[in-house]
Each structure stands twice: as structure tokens, then as C-alpha cells.
Amino acid sequence: MSERFYVTTPLYYVNDKPHIGHSYTTVAADVIARYRRAQGADVHFLTGTDEHGQKVLQKATERGLSPQAHADELHQRFKDLWVRLDITYDDFIRTTEPRHTRVVQQVLQDLYDRGEIYEDSYAGWYSTAAERFWTEKDLVDGKCPESGQPVEWLEESNLFFRMSKYADQLREWADARPEWVTPESRYNELQGALRKDIGDLCITRPVERMPWGIPIPWDDRFVTYVWFDALLNYITAVGYKADDDAFSKWWPADVQLLGKDILTTHTVYWGTMLFALGLEPARHLLAHGWWTVEGQKMSKSLGNVVDPHLLVDAYGADSVRYVLMAEKALGPDGDFSHKGFQLRYNAELANDIGNLAHRALSMTEKWLGGVVPALGDATEADGALARELAARVQSCCGCMDRLAYQEATREIVGIAQAGNNYIQTQQPWALNKAGDTARLAGVMRRTLEVCRVVAVLLQPFCPNKAGELLGRLGLSDARLDADLARLSGLTEGATLTLGDPLFPRLLELPDAITAALEAARGAAPLKSLDAEAGPTPPKKSKKKAPKARKPEPPPPPGAISKDQFEQVQLRAGRVLAAEAHPNADRLLVLTVDLGEDRPRTICAGVAGRYQPDELVGLTVVVVANLKPAKLRGVPSEGMILAAGDGDGLAMVTTLAEVEPGAIVR
Ligand code: MSP
């Protein structure tokens, strides 16, 4: 019997364009939904839009539209973005839909009939900008402490929900479940809030002040406060008071995802509302941290709001999903930068994962006819690989269960690195040269199995690329089950497909990003990744050219002929591995594939600029016919081109992937 799994995101206000903050919550929910489906669970993933209240009314009025017409138009922006980000929600609820408004009114009537709602009058300093009351001592210089705008003294009647009646029940609930809310810092924040008097909740707005809400069924002076209305979506969407079977199947939800800013509404308001209805809260609430952008709070006035469409255009949905989940842990805040994006993409997707897949598939194609080879007998090294894989798969699944996505991606990358190291130590090129086909088959088969494991675990994050990789490995579908880590999931004899690199390296900022950054900063053009660190220094003024006419420019000092140049064989090489030189701080020892029988060992003086891992997967330019030499005791079979000097040496690379060994002209 398959388990059921219900996950929700907050409902997004239809007062703005969706940005990476919204995308983050929704991608996180999609990752867990896909992961649970891959495990065979019956999943219900709910998202939607929050369409009532002051903010939406204000925005609609600014646009000269009725709030309903405005919401009809804007909710579509979220739906469109979710298509682009490959979000597989099962239901999208809008709080203006009758299936929701009808049940909200029934809930209100029910609570009112049971004496849970009462009328009272309230007086205080009201701020229209912040849409709330303040007490005298809250004010700063007589103005709203949040918006800095003037406040007015207002006395009005409203309806109140007896929230305080359920305070003890909520305290007991939270005390008994230290992991009800994660991360721990948010749980502690909740406990702090529960130590105080939580009071009763004002759940209406007078119609003459704010008419855009669900009408109170028994009193036309009021509409429902937007939070009381919106929170109920989590149960109205799954059949509360409409479809008992559906409701008892799905509620309580397994995970409710939300941002840290809406913790109180989702614990104190929502928890007590559910208790008043005789229902239990969700099993787990995860309140995630916020994104800043290039070190600053994301805000319209700073012009730094990151448009997810732009990211998808530039990098593709899979990469955006992966980097959002891998760049920061869910709980704490994190910073988004394009440089950070590209570094992570290049290091993990292009180098570790993409490179493993490309090496495994191309070597098997070249030496074993492009079909899944036989496993053969296992050696000591094979046993070690199998054990590492089993441990990492188990740890990765544990991370996924805890919604620790960043840690889960560390394990996936670790598995890819284990695969790359295995190739390095098993040296399939040497086995091929020695004609040891049986062992070559065993090594390549195990490497391909590692690719399968990576693809299956990567699926929730990068559904398209992972699916493509599985297809290239001859699989149409792969379940995430207990056998995942066993090195025998592929079908012997199945045809493999090499294809282009799955995650081509990003060598410079995509044009769309450069243009957007320039527009936002009004700054000097950015082109290279490093240029993002600061504006380009002004060029030194060139000396004026001499006026005298010269028919032919003189040859530059040390000029050589074309024939002489052609004596130097320049070839493209792919860096398979890199490590520090044992005896020289400035040197790295690279293993470079030049399309020959075996890769070459080449020492390069670039340790001041690059970490060894950064170079793996890069295509570099090698002087291939240089006499071999020993550099501080390590043999070096060629020279790698680099520009600059000292610690700033930058390696010369190609703009697009080329075959190892290609001639550089
Ligand atoms: N409509 C309410 C939620 C009602 S749920 C019944 C709301 N909407 S919102 O559109 O303002 O925010 C939705 C979510 O986006 C929140 O979880 C919020 O934390 C998240 N984010 C908004 N800006 C964010 C960042 N800069 N970074 C990460 N998430 C952020 O609140």
C-alpha cells in the first residue's frame, strides 16, 4: 500500500510579479513532492494565490481595475512561472474561488454558532500604509513605526475569534513536538511567543474601510480578515465540509512550507483555528530563511529583484532549481549572486556530475561499442566503491526525509566525485591498452551504475537532465527504492547514447543576465565572471601613432614564420583530474585527456589562482609536442597555455566543448 503525502506552499499575494523568494518555496515543495512520488507515495501538492485584502485592493485600484479582474490577470503569472520551473503541483487554489469562499463562510458560521466568535470595539492608532493598529507607545515621532507614515485615531467594531481559549492546547502541542516547527531557531521563536498572552484574533474588517474580502454571512458590516480566510485554503482545497473521503485522506498535511516572516500566522493563528474546528495541525512546518541579492535585501526600490524568468532563460529550469536548493540550507538566510550561481553550476553540475556522465558514456562507446557491459568479478576497489555508494545513498535519503536539501546535494555530488575518483584509480585507458577487456567492462559498468544512482537522486532537483541521463543509460524510468545503491540496476547489453554534455560549462555571464545587471546598476558593462567583482579599471591611454606613412608595419621583435609556428603542436585537452604538486606550491599536477591511448600528466604553474577541483572538466590548450621533463620530481608531458603572470595566471580554454585532441590552429 502506498503512503499518502500532502505538502503545501503559502498562497502568494497577487500584488506583484513572482520573484526568486516565491520560486524558492515552490521549488522546495516540488522537490519533496517529486521525491515522495519517486518512492511510490500518493502525493498531493497544493499551491495557489491569496487574492483578498488591503494590499491586493490597493494594487488593483492603482491599476484602475476591479480587484477580481486584477486577480484574474495576476494569478496567471504564478501559474506561468510554475510551468517554466517544472512545478508539478496537483492543485492550484485561488481564494476567490467559490469552493473556498463557500467553505470559509460555513466555518465562520459554525464557529459563531458555537460562541467562538464575538463582537467588540477596538480603538487605536491606525496606519493605512501598514494596514494595522498601533498603541501609543509603538509610535515613533507620532508616526507608524513600520512605514513612517501618519496614523489616525480610529474606533471601530469588529469580530474576534477566541484564540486565547486555545493557547494552552497549542502550548502542550508544541511542547510535545520539538520538531513540529523547524529549523530549531524558529521553534524557539514560537516557544517565546507562546510564553506571552496570545490574546484573541480580530478576524474582520469593516466594509466601509476595506470591502475586498469574504462577506461575514450573518453581518454585512464586515468582511473576513485576509489571513483568517487564506489559511483555511489548506483544508478547503482538500474537501473540508465538501468531500469527507478526500478530506480524511489528506488532512493533516505532512509538510507545510513557509517563509520565516509568516511563522506566527501559520503556528499561532492557524494552530488555534484548527483546534477550534476540532482538527489537528499539520505534522511538520518548515519556516525557511530569506534570500538577499548580492548582499542586499531584495526590493523594488533597489532594483535588485531577481526575475526567475530571466534565470530560466539564461540557465535553464533544472540549473535554477538545483542552485536554489544547493546554494543555501532551507532554514537560514542566504545570498544570491550570479557569480555564486555560476561557480556552483560549474563546479557541481558541469564538472562533477556532467563530467562523470560524459567520461563514462564516451569511454564505453569508444572501447566497448556503446552498450552496457557485463559486471564481471568484483575487486577490492569495487567493494569500496559499492560501500561508499550505499552509505552516501542512505545519507542522501535521510537528508531528503529531513528536507535538508543542501546536504542531500552534497551527497549527490560526493557520489559523482567517487565515480570520478574510481575512473582515476582504475585507469580504464590502461586496461584498454593492455587489452584487458573483461576488467575494462567491469570498470565501465560500475562507473555507469554510479551515473544511474546520481541520475535517480538528482531527479527531484533536475527532472529534465536527470531523465535525459537515465535515457542515455538505456533506462526509461528508475524507482527510488531500497536497491538503488546496488551496482546492478542497468540492463546488460542495453544501448547507451553519448549525446552532448549534459551541463555545458558556463564560461561567461549569459547576455540576458549581463543586460539585466547593467540596466539595474547603470554601471560599466560586465562580461566575465571576474568582472562582477568590480568595475573594469580604465585602460591606460595609448600612445599616439607616429604620423609618418609606412607601407608595411615592421615585424614585431622575435617574429617567426608560419612554418615555424606550425612546428608547435597545440591541442585541446580535457582535464580529468587535478591535485596539488607534492613539492611545489605554485604547481598543480593535471591529468589531461588528449584523445590518446592514455591521458598525460602535465604540471602547470596555476596553483595561485585555481583550486584543483575547479579545473576538472575544463578544456585547456596544451603544447603537445614539448619534450617531457621532470618538474620538482614529477614528470610533465606537455605544457598548458595560460595568460598573465605570477599568481594571476589564467588558463586558456575554448568557448565551446571540443573533442580531446582537437588541433588548435
Ligand atoms: N499571502 C501570504 C501567505 C498566505 S498563506 C495562507 C504571503 N504572501 S507573499 O506573497 O507575501 O509571500 C509568500 C512567501 O514568499 C512567503 O513564504 C515569504 O516568506 C516568501 N518570500 C518573500 N520574499 C522572500 C525572499 N526574499 N526570500 C525567500 N522567501 C521570501 O505572505
Side-chain angles (χ1 to χ4, degrees), residues 530-558:
D530 295 331
E532 251 198 298
T536 325
K539 283 202 178 120
K540 286 194 188 129
S541 65
K542 283 186 200 145
K543 282 196 186 128
K544 275 199 177 162
K547 286 220 168 127
R549 264 193 296 143
K550 283 191 184 152
E552 284 290 326

PDB file of all heavy atoms in Angstrom, residues 530-558:
ATOM      1  N   ASP A 530      34.697  37.365 -13.439  1.00  0.00           N
ATOM      2  CA  ASP A 530      35.502  38.138 -12.504  1.00  0.00           C
ATOM      3  C   ASP A 530      35.110  39.594 -12.529  1.00  0.00           C
ATOM      4  O   ASP A 530      35.215  40.292 -11.536  1.00  0.00           O
ATOM      5  CB  ASP A 530      36.987  38.015 -12.866  1.00  0.00           C
ATOM      6  CG  ASP A 530      37.411  36.586 -12.684  1.00  0.00           C
ATOM      7  OD1 ASP A 530      36.811  35.921 -11.835  1.00  0.00           O
ATOM      8  OD2 ASP A 530      38.303  36.147 -13.404  1.00  0.00           O
ATOM      9  N   ALA A 531      34.651  40.054 -13.704  1.00  0.00           N
ATOM     10  CA  ALA A 531      34.307  41.468 -13.816  1.00  0.00           C
ATOM     11  C   ALA A 531      33.225  41.836 -12.820  1.00  0.00           C
ATOM     12  O   ALA A 531      33.097  42.988 -12.441  1.00  0.00           O
ATOM     13  CB  ALA A 531      33.844  41.777 -15.226  1.00  0.00           C
ATOM     14  N   GLU A 532      32.455  40.829 -12.353  1.00  0.00           N
ATOM     15  CA  GLU A 532      31.377  41.144 -11.421  1.00  0.00           C
ATOM     16  C   GLU A 532      31.902  41.665 -10.098  1.00  0.00           C
ATOM     17  O   GLU A 532      31.202  42.298  -9.350  1.00  0.00           O
ATOM     18  CB  GLU A 532      30.552  39.888 -11.165  1.00  0.00           C
ATOM     19  CG  GLU A 532      29.213  40.000 -11.800  1.00  0.00           C
ATOM     20  CD  GLU A 532      28.298  38.991 -11.190  1.00  0.00           C
ATOM     21  OE1 GLU A 532      28.564  37.790 -11.312  1.00  0.00           O
ATOM     22  OE2 GLU A 532      27.318  39.426 -10.586  1.00  0.00           O
ATOM     23  N   ALA A 533      33.164  41.350  -9.810  1.00  0.00           N
ATOM     24  CA  ALA A 533      33.718  41.776  -8.532  1.00  0.00           C
ATOM     25  C   ALA A 533      33.866  43.291  -8.467  1.00  0.00           C
ATOM     26  O   ALA A 533      33.926  43.865  -7.395  1.00  0.00           O
ATOM     27  CB  ALA A 533      35.072  41.121  -8.324  1.00  0.00           C
ATOM     28  N   GLY A 534      33.889  43.965  -9.561  1.00  0.00           N
ATOM     29  CA  GLY A 534      34.025  45.418  -9.526  1.00  0.00           C
ATOM     30  C   GLY A 534      34.135  45.966 -10.924  1.00  0.00           C
ATOM     31  O   GLY A 534      34.269  45.208 -11.877  1.00  0.00           O
ATOM     32  N   PRO A 535      34.055  47.283 -11.066  1.00  0.00           N
ATOM     33  CA  PRO A 535      34.111  47.844 -12.408  1.00  0.00           C
ATOM     34  C   PRO A 535      35.489  47.643 -13.042  1.00  0.00           C
ATOM     35  O   PRO A 535      36.498  47.529 -12.341  1.00  0.00           O
ATOM     36  CB  PRO A 535      33.833  49.333 -12.191  1.00  0.00           C
ATOM     37  CG  PRO A 535      34.048  49.574 -10.741  1.00  0.00           C
ATOM     38  CD  PRO A 535      33.947  48.277 -10.018  1.00  0.00           C
ATOM     39  N   THR A 536      35.524  47.585 -14.362  1.00  0.00           N
ATOM     40  CA  THR A 536      36.780  47.389 -15.075  1.00  0.00           C
ATOM     41  C   THR A 536      37.648  48.628 -14.907  1.00  0.00           C
ATOM     42  O   THR A 536      37.147  49.733 -15.072  1.00  0.00           O
ATOM     43  CB  THR A 536      36.480  47.223 -16.589  1.00  0.00           C
ATOM     44  OG1 THR A 536      35.254  46.534 -16.699  1.00  0.00           O
ATOM     45  CG2 THR A 536      37.586  46.509 -17.308  1.00  0.00           C
ATOM     46  N   PRO A 537      38.935  48.463 -14.545  1.00  0.00           N
ATOM     47  CA  PRO A 537      39.771  49.654 -14.405  1.00  0.00           C
ATOM     48  C   PRO A 537      39.936  50.359 -15.748  1.00  0.00           C
ATOM     49  O   PRO A 537      39.929  49.697 -16.786  1.00  0.00           O
ATOM     50  CB  PRO A 537      41.115  49.088 -13.911  1.00  0.00           C
ATOM     51  CG  PRO A 537      41.074  47.639 -14.196  1.00  0.00           C
ATOM     52  CD  PRO A 537      39.652  47.228 -14.324  1.00  0.00           C
ATOM     53  N   PRO A 538      40.059  51.690 -15.732  1.00  0.00           N
ATOM     54  CA  PRO A 538      40.188  52.396 -17.015  1.00  0.00           C
ATOM     55  C   PRO A 538      41.454  51.942 -17.739  1.00  0.00           C
ATOM     56  O   PRO A 538      42.480  51.665 -17.096  1.00  0.00           O
ATOM     57  CB  PRO A 538      40.278  53.862 -16.604  1.00  0.00           C
ATOM     58  CG  PRO A 538      40.614  53.862 -15.152  1.00  0.00           C
ATOM     59  CD  PRO A 538      40.139  52.572 -14.573  1.00  0.00           C
ATOM     60  N   LYS A 539      41.348  51.870 -19.051  1.00  0.00           N
ATOM     61  CA  LYS A 539      42.513  51.433 -19.830  1.00  0.00           C
ATOM     62  C   LYS A 539      43.540  52.562 -19.845  1.00  0.00           C
ATOM     63  O   LYS A 539      43.174  53.732 -19.851  1.00  0.00           O
ATOM     64  CB  LYS A 539      42.073  51.138 -21.263  1.00  0.00           C
ATOM     65  CG  LYS A 539      41.361  49.834 -21.375  1.00  0.00           C
ATOM     66  CD  LYS A 539      41.432  49.337 -22.808  1.00  0.00           C
ATOM     67  CE  LYS A 539      40.752  47.996 -22.897  1.00  0.00           C
ATOM     68  NZ  LYS A 539      39.636  47.979 -23.816  1.00  0.00           N
ATOM     69  N   LYS A 540      44.840  52.168 -19.859  1.00  0.00           N
ATOM     70  CA  LYS A 540      45.884  53.207 -19.984  1.00  0.00           C
ATOM     71  C   LYS A 540      45.766  53.825 -21.368  1.00  0.00           C
ATOM     72  O   LYS A 540      45.508  53.129 -22.340  1.00  0.00           O
ATOM     73  CB  LYS A 540      47.254  52.545 -19.821  1.00  0.00           C
ATOM     74  CG  LYS A 540      47.546  52.181 -18.395  1.00  0.00           C
ATOM     75  CD  LYS A 540      49.006  51.869 -18.230  1.00  0.00           C
ATOM     76  CE  LYS A 540      49.224  51.322 -16.839  1.00  0.00           C
ATOM     77  NZ  LYS A 540      49.943  50.079 -16.819  1.00  0.00           N
ATOM     78  N   SER A 541      45.972  55.172 -21.443  1.00  0.00           N
ATOM     79  CA  SER A 541      45.818  55.822 -22.753  1.00  0.00           C
ATOM     80  C   SER A 541      46.941  55.347 -23.677  1.00  0.00           C
ATOM     81  O   SER A 541      48.103  55.213 -23.282  1.00  0.00           O
ATOM     82  CB  SER A 541      45.859  57.329 -22.593  1.00  0.00           C
ATOM     83  OG  SER A 541      47.132  57.681 -22.133  1.00  0.00           O
ATOM     84  N   LYS A 542      46.524  55.083 -24.918  1.00  0.00           N
ATOM     85  CA  LYS A 542      47.514  54.581 -25.876  1.00  0.00           C
ATOM     86  C   LYS A 542      48.362  55.750 -26.369  1.00  0.00           C
ATOM     87  O   LYS A 542      47.862  56.857 -26.507  1.00  0.00           O
ATOM     88  CB  LYS A 542      46.780  53.965 -27.063  1.00  0.00           C
ATOM     89  CG  LYS A 542      46.219  52.611 -26.755  1.00  0.00           C
ATOM     90  CD  LYS A 542      45.649  52.034 -28.020  1.00  0.00           C
ATOM     91  CE  LYS A 542      44.665  50.931 -27.682  1.00  0.00           C
ATOM     92  NZ  LYS A 542      43.545  50.862 -28.580  1.00  0.00           N
ATOM     93  N   LYS A 543      49.626  55.421 -26.667  1.00  0.00           N
ATOM     94  CA  LYS A 543      50.469  56.478 -27.266  1.00  0.00           C
ATOM     95  C   LYS A 543      49.949  56.766 -28.657  1.00  0.00           C
ATOM     96  O   LYS A 543      49.476  55.876 -29.352  1.00  0.00           O
ATOM     97  CB  LYS A 543      51.910  55.984 -27.340  1.00  0.00           C
ATOM     98  CG  LYS A 543      52.604  56.056 -26.007  1.00  0.00           C
ATOM     99  CD  LYS A 543      54.105  55.941 -26.204  1.00  0.00           C
ATOM    100  CE  LYS A 543      54.759  55.855 -24.846  1.00  0.00           C
ATOM    101  NZ  LYS A 543      55.657  54.723 -24.744  1.00  0.00           N
ATOM    102  N   LYS A 544      50.060  58.030 -29.085  1.00  0.00           N
ATOM    103  CA  LYS A 544      49.596  58.360 -30.434  1.00  0.00           C
ATOM    104  C   LYS A 544      50.470  57.694 -31.477  1.00  0.00           C
ATOM    105  O   LYS A 544      51.696  57.649 -31.335  1.00  0.00           O
ATOM    106  CB  LYS A 544      49.646  59.867 -30.622  1.00  0.00           C
ATOM    107  CG  LYS A 544      48.406  60.546 -30.095  1.00  0.00           C
ATOM    108  CD  LYS A 544      48.256  61.920 -30.670  1.00  0.00           C
ATOM    109  CE  LYS A 544      46.972  62.522 -30.168  1.00  0.00           C
ATOM    110  NZ  LYS A 544      46.962  63.966 -30.334  1.00  0.00           N
ATOM    111  N   ALA A 545      49.835  57.206 -32.550  1.00  0.00           N
ATOM    112  CA  ALA A 545      50.613  56.558 -33.612  1.00  0.00           C
ATOM    113  C   ALA A 545      51.447  57.613 -34.343  1.00  0.00           C
ATOM    114  O   ALA A 545      50.977  58.730 -34.550  1.00  0.00           O
ATOM    115  CB  ALA A 545      49.661  55.883 -34.593  1.00  0.00           C
ATOM    116  N   PRO A 546      52.683  57.240 -34.712  1.00  0.00           N
ATOM    117  CA  PRO A 546      53.505  58.205 -35.464  1.00  0.00           C
ATOM    118  C   PRO A 546      52.834  58.553 -36.789  1.00  0.00           C
ATOM    119  O   PRO A 546      52.157  57.712 -37.387  1.00  0.00           O
ATOM    120  CB  PRO A 546      54.828  57.456 -35.684  1.00  0.00           C
ATOM    121  CG  PRO A 546      54.548  56.018 -35.377  1.00  0.00           C
ATOM    122  CD  PRO A 546      53.353  55.963 -34.487  1.00  0.00           C
ATOM    123  N   LYS A 547      53.039  59.816 -37.204  1.00  0.00           N
ATOM    124  CA  LYS A 547      52.321  60.255 -38.396  1.00  0.00           C
ATOM    125  C   LYS A 547      52.888  59.704 -39.698  1.00  0.00           C
ATOM    126  O   LYS A 547      52.166  59.543 -40.666  1.00  0.00           O
ATOM    127  CB  LYS A 547      52.325  61.780 -38.449  1.00  0.00           C
ATOM    128  CG  LYS A 547      51.372  62.377 -37.441  1.00  0.00           C
ATOM    129  CD  LYS A 547      50.645  63.561 -38.027  1.00  0.00           C
ATOM    130  CE  LYS A 547      49.516  63.945 -37.117  1.00  0.00           C
ATOM    131  NZ  LYS A 547      49.547  65.346 -36.740  1.00  0.00           N
ATOM    132  N   ALA A 548      54.216  59.430 -39.700  1.00  0.00           N
ATOM    133  CA  ALA A 548      54.867  59.036 -40.957  1.00  0.00           C
ATOM    134  C   ALA A 548      54.165  57.850 -41.601  1.00  0.00           C
ATOM    135  O   ALA A 548      53.728  56.938 -40.906  1.00  0.00           O
ATOM    136  CB  ALA A 548      56.313  58.671 -40.674  1.00  0.00           C
ATOM    137  N   ARG A 549      54.014  57.902 -42.946  1.00  0.00           N
ATOM    138  CA  ARG A 549      53.359  56.797 -43.646  1.00  0.00           C
ATOM    139  C   ARG A 549      54.289  55.612 -43.757  1.00  0.00           C
ATOM    140  O   ARG A 549      55.447  55.762 -44.127  1.00  0.00           O
ATOM    141  CB  ARG A 549      52.955  57.244 -45.049  1.00  0.00           C
ATOM    142  CG  ARG A 549      51.515  57.708 -45.097  1.00  0.00           C
ATOM    143  CD  ARG A 549      51.069  57.828 -46.524  1.00  0.00           C
ATOM    144  NE  ARG A 549      51.810  58.851 -47.216  1.00  0.00           N
ATOM    145  CZ  ARG A 549      52.180  58.748 -48.487  1.00  0.00           C
ATOM    146  NH1 ARG A 549      51.877  57.688 -49.173  1.00  0.00           N
ATOM    147  NH2 ARG A 549      52.838  59.723 -49.063  1.00  0.00           N
ATOM    148  N   LYS A 550      53.780  54.448 -43.450  1.00  0.00           N
ATOM    149  CA  LYS A 550      54.629  53.257 -43.565  1.00  0.00           C
ATOM    150  C   LYS A 550      53.908  52.226 -44.395  1.00  0.00           C
ATOM    151  O   LYS A 550      52.831  51.776 -44.011  1.00  0.00           O
ATOM    152  CB  LYS A 550      54.914  52.674 -42.177  1.00  0.00           C
ATOM    153  CG  LYS A 550      55.944  53.461 -41.432  1.00  0.00           C
ATOM    154  CD  LYS A 550      56.381  52.714 -40.200  1.00  0.00           C
ATOM    155  CE  LYS A 550      57.344  53.575 -39.419  1.00  0.00           C
ATOM    156  NZ  LYS A 550      57.324  53.295 -38.011  1.00  0.00           N
ATOM    157  N   PRO A 551      54.422  51.823 -45.506  1.00  0.00           N
ATOM    158  CA  PRO A 551      53.728  50.854 -46.348  1.00  0.00           C
ATOM    159  C   PRO A 551      53.525  49.510 -45.652  1.00  0.00           C
ATOM    160  O   PRO A 551      52.470  48.931 -45.719  1.00  0.00           O
ATOM    161  CB  PRO A 551      54.621  50.720 -47.569  1.00  0.00           C
ATOM    162  CG  PRO A 551      55.897  51.425 -47.269  1.00  0.00           C
ATOM    163  CD  PRO A 551      55.714  52.258 -46.045  1.00  0.00           C
ATOM    164  N   GLU A 552      54.511  49.002 -44.964  1.00  0.00           N
ATOM    165  CA  GLU A 552      54.419  47.702 -44.285  1.00  0.00           C
ATOM    166  C   GLU A 552      54.807  47.888 -42.826  1.00  0.00           C
ATOM    167  O   GLU A 552      55.859  48.459 -42.554  1.00  0.00           O
ATOM    168  CB  GLU A 552      55.418  46.712 -44.909  1.00  0.00           C
ATOM    169  CG  GLU A 552      55.005  46.149 -46.257  1.00  0.00           C
ATOM    170  CD  GLU A 552      53.829  45.208 -46.140  1.00  0.00           C
ATOM    171  OE1 GLU A 552      53.741  44.495 -45.117  1.00  0.00           O
ATOM    172  OE2 GLU A 552      52.977  45.207 -47.055  1.00  0.00           O
ATOM    173  N   PRO A 553      54.004  47.395 -41.881  1.00  0.00           N
ATOM    174  CA  PRO A 553      54.469  47.503 -40.494  1.00  0.00           C
ATOM    175  C   PRO A 553      55.708  46.629 -40.302  1.00  0.00           C
ATOM    176  O   PRO A 553      55.791  45.550 -40.901  1.00  0.00           O
ATOM    177  CB  PRO A 553      53.292  46.969 -39.667  1.00  0.00           C
ATOM    178  CG  PRO A 553      52.434  46.226 -40.623  1.00  0.00           C
ATOM    179  CD  PRO A 553      52.738  46.693 -42.001  1.00  0.00           C
ATOM    180  N   PRO A 554      56.660  47.064 -39.492  1.00  0.00           N
ATOM    181  CA  PRO A 554      57.849  46.234 -39.293  1.00  0.00           C
ATOM    182  C   PRO A 554      57.485  44.983 -38.517  1.00  0.00           C
ATOM    183  O   PRO A 554      56.518  45.011 -37.747  1.00  0.00           O
ATOM    184  CB  PRO A 554      58.769  47.141 -38.466  1.00  0.00           C
ATOM    185  CG  PRO A 554      57.846  48.068 -37.751  1.00  0.00           C
ATOM    186  CD  PRO A 554      56.656  48.250 -38.638  1.00  0.00           C
ATOM    187  N   PRO A 555      58.203  43.892 -38.730  1.00  0.00           N
ATOM    188  CA  PRO A 555      57.878  42.685 -37.954  1.00  0.00           C
ATOM    189  C   PRO A 555      58.113  42.936 -36.473  1.00  0.00           C
ATOM    190  O   PRO A 555      59.067  43.637 -36.127  1.00  0.00           O
ATOM    191  CB  PRO A 555      58.850  41.638 -38.495  1.00  0.00           C
ATOM    192  CG  PRO A 555      59.930  42.389 -39.181  1.00  0.00           C
ATOM    193  CD  PRO A 555      59.382  43.720 -39.583  1.00  0.00           C
ATOM    194  N   PRO A 556      57.230  42.406 -35.605  1.00  0.00           N
ATOM    195  CA  PRO A 556      57.465  42.586 -34.178  1.00  0.00           C
ATOM    196  C   PRO A 556      58.748  41.879 -33.770  1.00  0.00           C
ATOM    197  O   PRO A 556      59.185  40.956 -34.465  1.00  0.00           O
ATOM    198  CB  PRO A 556      56.247  41.926 -33.519  1.00  0.00           C
ATOM    199  CG  PRO A 556      55.652  41.058 -34.560  1.00  0.00           C
ATOM    200  CD  PRO A 556      56.063  41.578 -35.888  1.00  0.00           C
ATOM    201  N   PRO A 557      59.353  42.295 -32.645  1.00  0.00           N
ATOM    202  CA  PRO A 557      60.600  41.646 -32.240  1.00  0.00           C
ATOM    203  C   PRO A 557      60.410  40.140 -32.075  1.00  0.00           C
ATOM    204  O   PRO A 557      59.372  39.701 -31.582  1.00  0.00           O
ATOM    205  CB  PRO A 557      60.928  42.291 -30.885  1.00  0.00           C
ATOM    206  CG  PRO A 557      59.890  43.322 -30.620  1.00  0.00           C
ATOM    207  CD  PRO A 557      58.902  43.318 -31.720  1.00  0.00           C
ATOM    208  N   GLY A 558      61.361  39.399 -32.526  1.00  0.00           N
ATOM    209  CA  GLY A 558      61.315  37.937 -32.368  1.00  0.00           C
ATOM    210  C   GLY A 558      60.317  37.259 -33.281  1.00  0.00           C
ATOM    211  O   GLY A 558      59.853  36.150 -32.990  1.00  0.00           O
TER     212      GLY A 558
END
